[in-house]
Amino acid sequence: MAHLRLPISDYIREYGPHVSDSPVTGWGPKPEPDRLVETHCCFCGMQCGVKLQVKSGRVIGIEPWEEFPFNEGRLCPKGVKRYMQTHHPDRLTDPLIREGAGFRKAGWDEALDLVASKARAIQAKRGKDAFAMLSGVSLSNEKSYLVGKFARLALGTANLDYNGRFCMVSAGAGNKKAFGIDRVANPWDDIPEAGVVLLAGTNVSECFPTLTHYIWKARDRGAKLIVVDPRETPIARTADHHVALRPGTDSALNQALLHELVANGWFDREFVEQRCTGWAELRASVERCTPEWAGEICGVPAALIREVAAAWGQAKTSFLLHARGVEQHTKGVENVLGLINLVLATGRIGRRGCGYGTITGQGNGQGGREHGHKCDQLPGNRDIENPEHRKHICDVWRISDAELPRKGKTTVEIVEAIHAGGIHGLLNICFNPMVSHPDTGFTREALERLEFFCVIDFFMSETARYADVVLPGSLHEEEEGTSTTAEARVVRIRAAVEPPGNARRDTWILLELARRLGKEEHFRFSSSEDIFNELRRASAGGTADYAGITYERVEREMGVFWPCPSEGHPGTPRLFEDGRSYHPDGKFKLLPTPYRPSAEVPDAEFPLYMTSGRSVFHYLSGTQTRRIKFLVEKSPGPICEMHPALATRLGLVDRQLVTVETRRGAITVPLRIVETIRPDTVFLPYHWPEELAANQLTVRALDPVSKMPEFKVAACRVRAATRGEADRARSLFAELKLEAS
Ligand code: SF4
């Protein structure tokens, strides 16, 4: 049973997070590097190009990679400092096995044999699916592919899923429904050509900072900017129209905008009638969705909705981008489809300056979901329940259909099944559910119920503390590979250094485990390129077709856009140029998305909206960024953002410790009074663990199609912290060296 038997402070003392800013070469003059390694930052889907300075087998700094076409040397604060984790003192350097109250160091043979024997024992007693696997989607394409094959062939479990379930799945499901393909439709350099840019639920400046450059370029050429977000984010402050709607009401806004497009004739009749299906039904579905109707639901003036509809409807060219703000809902897929309807209604897609896309948040969120770890998907973005898709993969993997598991549970469902006693063993690679899962108290209870739990990671994450075995893995710069950026460009990740101490490459760990599970015959890979070449064959003929992409091409061309079905094919930066979707009939699907309320809305007991999100200084669960001093100094801990009008009504003052409560838990954090949020809504960033985890408060309700949790809406109340809560928070903050007034 994986209960924590030591105070958390003991784990922190031993394994961190400790903040570090010590240059690896000391505080004296920086030496000249031996060599520069061109690779990519993995802290968001932009995957900015960067050069690592390497000296004597160590990464000592970075230089801009100005020739890389997307970011041309530009980086955000995370990218500038990311190299500081390579030789961080918290890096795990030996396998660890739980013993007594803590862990002891072990050799690789002992640790790997233990994992294999425990997996076998649980599966022999309780069935293959009683052992599950979770994975992180910052892994390279090669590792993602390997994870998918490992879970299905070496473990033989259907229950494999990934933390992309919290990132892009609603967008992916919506894109597949409307377009028959799951990727951004245009390269980013189409954005500056757009006459209007609509950003829905995307805090671009903080979450994808280098993409902002493309929006500024559009602005320089005269583009109008529309931002839809309950918060006045940095990009919203510059917008022509900011729709600060109530959290969870996007689909009502989308319907009203479409209503206005129809009412004013701002739609492309030929496109919707010739190139699409469903126009008549869609049009009928918004007949009564007036701006006044939506304005009531969204809490914004009807006149503003009319202005936005006119700006979008009358434009000649446009680009619509969205992200987690519209996707992390119980109706995330509907929100995405509602936005796609606005794009398709105007026929502005498949041309230069006429674009659409989701902004993938995680490092390799795009490639990861195409080739590996999704419970319902096989490489090439194939459907695991489709007989033809299964046959293709079975042929590549040289197995029978009976040997290939079917669709398994999603990550929240896996945790629920562990909680309920249906899953007993878990292998987790680079995923930190103790921070990123909704309702962390429930997640903790589930982890405590596991019979056996193994984590592969390079730091001791808050989740790894619950493990029976921790295997020290590798960073991006310690293994060759590829990654796929948010614009679907496959780029090269280059090894610059070796993993520290006895840590091993993730690929080596998975191959060794496969061997010990008796499945070596399926895992005879001699290099990352070897794995990539099998991935190419597995993806061939799928929508995410990498068959024509080679390491040599990726390096020479500085990235290749998929689909790329043959080595002579140029790749596909822009989709739909022939006016056809990827559905068999070539038509785009217009689908009605009637408004429905969120799973939990404010009431008399919990009268406010709580929404969660990110800080520019942290990446996902913060396992990596909470260890880099510069980033921690800029964003030391969670805060609660609140409008001054609400603060006055509640009698609260700036920097005071407040307690935010929902039906699932409470958190005590400093208050930050800002005018950039609705007066009925509070905001908390989610990068911190345990008692500082915003996800203690979030709701475990899922989108019925994508199974994305509703991180963006919960009903809450806020009050001054009691003396006991404030004392506890201050001591916790002091322990973590955070500020608290
Ligand atoms: S975090 Fe994203 S935007 Fe920032 S440098 Fe890394 S890849 Fe680029």
Side-chain angles (χ1 to χ4, degrees), residues 16 57 73 79 172 207 353 438 458 463 493:
C207 301
F458 40 83
T463 300
I493 305 298

Side-chain angles (χ1 to χ4, degrees), residues 302-427:
L304 176 61
I305 298 175
R306 286 202 167 85
E307 283 169 23
V308 169
W312 181 260
Q314 294 176 321
K316 298 277 180 283
T317 54
S318 57
F319 210 115
L320 191 152
L321 290 162
H322 57 78
R324 311 301 84 75
V326 299
E327 298 161 21
Q328 290 177 330
H329 293 269
T330 47
K331 49 204 168 156
V333 177
E334 291 152 54
N335 290 342
V336 168
L337 286 168
L339 292 168
I340 292 173
N341 287 340
L342 300 178
V343 174
L344 293 177
T346 54
R348 294 196 299 256
I349 197 156
R351 285 179 278 141
R352 185 154 181 78
C354 291
Y356 158 81
T358 183
I359 314 176
T360 298
Q362 289 171 300
N364 191 22
Q366 186 68 47
R369 72 183 186 263
E370 292 155 8
H371 299 300
H373 357 221
K374 265 182 103 176
C375 69
D376 55 353
Q377 211 159 282
L378 292 169
N381 220 332
R382 288 185 159 86
D383 178 357
I384 201 164
E385 294 296 335
N386 179 312
E388 283 175 32
H389 293 191
R390 290 174 65 83
K391 178 168 183 336
H392 177 86
I393 298 300
C394 287
D395 289 347
V396 174
W397 288 356
R398 296 185 185 167
I399 56 169
S400 68
D401 187 78
E403 292 172 274
L404 182 61
R406 305 200 79 89
K407 179 178 172 182
K409 297 182 189 302
T410 64
T411 179
V412 173
E413 292 168 332
I414 285 173
V415 167
E416 287 175 344
I418 295 168
H419 203 279
I423 290 176
H424 298 263
L426 181 65
L427 173 60

Side-chain angles (χ1 to χ4, degrees), residues 41-44 46-48 75-76 78-79 208-210:
C41 173
C42 63
F43 273 177
C44 84
M46 297 301 106
Q47 299 275 287
C48 296
L75 295 169
C76 81
K78 291 191 293 290
F208 320 101
T210 50

Side-chain angles (χ1 to χ4, degrees), residues 61-319:
I62 60 154
E63 283 184 20
W65 183 7
E66 291 172 357
E67 299 76 24
F68 186 72
F70 160 65
N71 62 307
E72 298 169 317
R74 289 178 293 274
L75 295 169
C76 81
K78 291 191 293 290
V80 169
K81 293 290 178 183
R82 200 199 78 84
Y83 78 95
M84 299 210 68
Q85 67 172 339
T86 313
H87 309 289
H88 195 287
D90 285 349
R91 283 295 300 273
L92 295 171
T93 54
D94 289 283
L96 299 170
I97 293 179
R98 178 172 295 282
E99 187 173 84
F103 294 100
R104 69 169 166 84
K105 289 183 181 177
W108 276 101
D109 281 336
E110 182 189 6
L112 292 168
D113 284 344
L114 180 61
V115 177
S117 68
K118 288 286 186 183
R120 271 208 217 94
I122 288 171
Q123 291 185 310
K125 189 170 162 194
R126 305 181 185 277
K128 290 280 188 191
D129 294 344
F131 199 97
M133 185 164 183
L134 294 175
S135 65
V137 77
S138 297
L139 301 174
S140 65
N141 288 325
E142 291 75 3
K143 292 188 207 177
S144 299
Y145 176 81
L146 193 61
V147 163
K149 188 173 181 183
F150 173 86
R152 288 167 179 130
L153 293 198
L155 287 172
T157 183
N159 292 324
L160 162 71
D161 208 47
Y162 75 141
N163 61 8
R165 189 64 60 187
F166 303 155
C167 191
M168 301 79 49
V169 286
S170 291
N175 276 242
K176 279 187 174 176
K177 279 177 181 281
F179 302 125
I181 191 169
D182 166 18
R183 62 151 268 202
V184 64
N186 302 59
W188 298 141
D189 62 13
D190 271 3
I191 295 173
E193 306 285 327
V196 60
V197 177
L198 196 164
L199 305 174
T202 173
N203 179 3
V204 178
S205 312
E206 293 204 75
C207 301
F208 320 101
T210 50
L211 186 59
T212 315
H213 175 73
Y214 289 79
I215 297 165
W216 295 151
K217 277 168 83 171
R219 296 289 269 162
D220 286 347
R221 297 167 61 104
K224 288 223 170 350
L225 179 62
I226 302 164
V227 174
V228 178
D229 200 308
R231 298 166 66 216
E232 193 180 272
T233 58
I235 195 85
R237 283 165 219 165
T238 71
D240 297 290
H241 309 281
H242 174 208
V243 185
L245 77 184
R246 282 193 186 102
T249 62
D250 302 83
S251 53
L253 174 69
N254 297 339
Q255 286 187 285
L257 291 174
L258 189 63
H259 170 98
E260 285 297 288
L261 299 188
V262 173
N264 291 285
W266 294 324
F267 62 93
D268 183 335
R269 186 178 300 280
E270 189 186 337
F271 188 88
V272 294
E273 290 180 353
Q274 305 297 319
R275 305 281 185 195
C276 303
T277 61
W279 175 242
E281 295 85 346
L282 179 66
R283 188 179 171 150
S285 75
V286 297
E287 204 173 336
R288 295 187 184 162
C289 301
T290 61
E292 284 71 21
W293 166 80
E296 279 290 310
I297 294 169
C298 302
V300 298
L304 176 61
I305 298 175
R306 286 202 167 85
E307 283 169 23
V308 169
W312 181 260
Q314 294 176 321
K316 298 277 180 283
T317 54
S318 57
F319 210 115

